[in-house]
Amino acid sequence: QVVKLRWPLLAKSLLSGQFSGWLTSMFPGLGASTAAILALQLTKKLGDHGFMVLMGSINTVNFILSMVTLYSLNKARNGSIIAIQKTASFFQTDIIIPVIIIFLLATLVAGTIAAVLALKIGKLFSRHISKINYQLLLSSIIAFIILLTILLTGPIGLLVLIISTAIGFISPIVKVTRTHAMGCLLLPVIMYFIL
């Protein structure tokens, strides 16, 4: 079922998402979750559907500004931009305006196809998800992540995974959002540039 949002709520979600997404894109280590917290401080009572629009707006702004950063500074801010950078180097081309436009158009086409597929597959998925053993699914995902970490990064990567998992557990134990754990990234980055 397609949900129709009222224009004031839609405009509020989009504008707050764009502003907070732009703001967090300017600073290293800040991501979509931090932008969402900032946006929710500016605009109250968005509701579930408004929040989904907000997150989409934030991620769109983050991606576009990451492309601008890649073009201007030749620096990647996230994994998808690193993939674009490596694709461009594979084809032995520089990051120039036509390349940026091609990738943005490809993103637009992929997003359109994904939206249509999500509406179609979502109904099928929602009917069958209750039949899956959720605990078994989660255990399989955890085992897969551990195996992949060992294969790709070895013992050091496994140690980092254990420490980061422990940090992730602190948030629900002390009843704060996991965004606070971003301090583990932000503080070293800030100290690096200060010192």
Side-chain angles (χ1 to χ4, degrees):
Q1 183 181 357
V2 177
V3 177
K4 292 183 179 179
L5 295 178
R6 290 177 289 108
W7 273 108
L9 177 63
L10 189 61
K12 191 162 64 169
S13 301
L14 285 171
L15 290 173
S16 59
Q18 288 172 15
F19 174 74
S20 58
W22 172 82
L23 195 63
T24 54
S25 293
M26 297 297 107
F27 299 100
L30 299 179
S33 58
T34 311
I37 288 174
L38 287 175
L40 289 173
Q41 301 308 310
L42 299 172
T43 50
K44 309 286 184 182
K45 298 179 182 176
L46 289 179
D48 293 340
H49 299 127
F51 182 76
M52 296 301 289
V53 173
L54 171 74
M55 290 305 295
S57 176
I58 288 169
N59 287 321
T60 303
V61 169
N62 265 324
F63 181 76
I64 291 171
L65 288 177
S66 294
M67 293 289 286
V68 172
T69 304
L70 179 62
Y71 173 72
S72 305
L73 306 175
N74 199 28
K75 297 285 183 187
R77 287 196 81 245
N78 54 49
S80 58
I81 302 301
I82 290 172
I84 289 171
Q85 198 175 31
K86 289 189 175 181
T87 304
S89 65
F90 177 78
F91 288 106
Q92 297 178 347
T93 181
D94 294 326
I95 302 297
I96 53 177
I97 292 292
V99 173
I100 297 289
I101 291 171
I102 288 169
F103 278 114
L104 287 175
L105 287 174
T107 304
L108 185 62
V109 171
T112 304
I113 294 170
V116 174
L117 287 176
L119 290 173
K120 300 292 182 186
I121 297 172
K123 294 175 184 176
L124 181 68
F125 183 80
S126 62
R127 281 200 296 267
H128 294 285
I129 188 63
S130 58
K131 298 175 185 176
I132 297 172
N133 186 330
Y134 198 61
Q135 191 170 0
L136 179 63
L137 177 65
L138 291 179
S139 300
S140 302
I141 292 170
I142 291 169
F144 178 70
I145 290 170
I146 292 170
L147 179 65
L148 206 60
T149 302
I150 293 169
L151 289 174
L152 296 177
T153 58
I156 298 295
L158 185 61
L159 178 64
V160 171
L161 177 64
I162 292 167
I163 293 170
S164 58
T165 303
I167 292 169
F169 273 121
I170 293 171
S171 301
I173 290 170
V174 298
K175 294 181 174 58
V176 296
T177 61
R178 285 187 171 85
T179 308
H180 289 84
M182 288 297 292
C184 298
L185 292 176
L186 289 175
L187 189 60
V189 169
I190 292 168
M191 294 300 291
Y192 174 79
F193 284 106
I194 288 176
L195 301 175

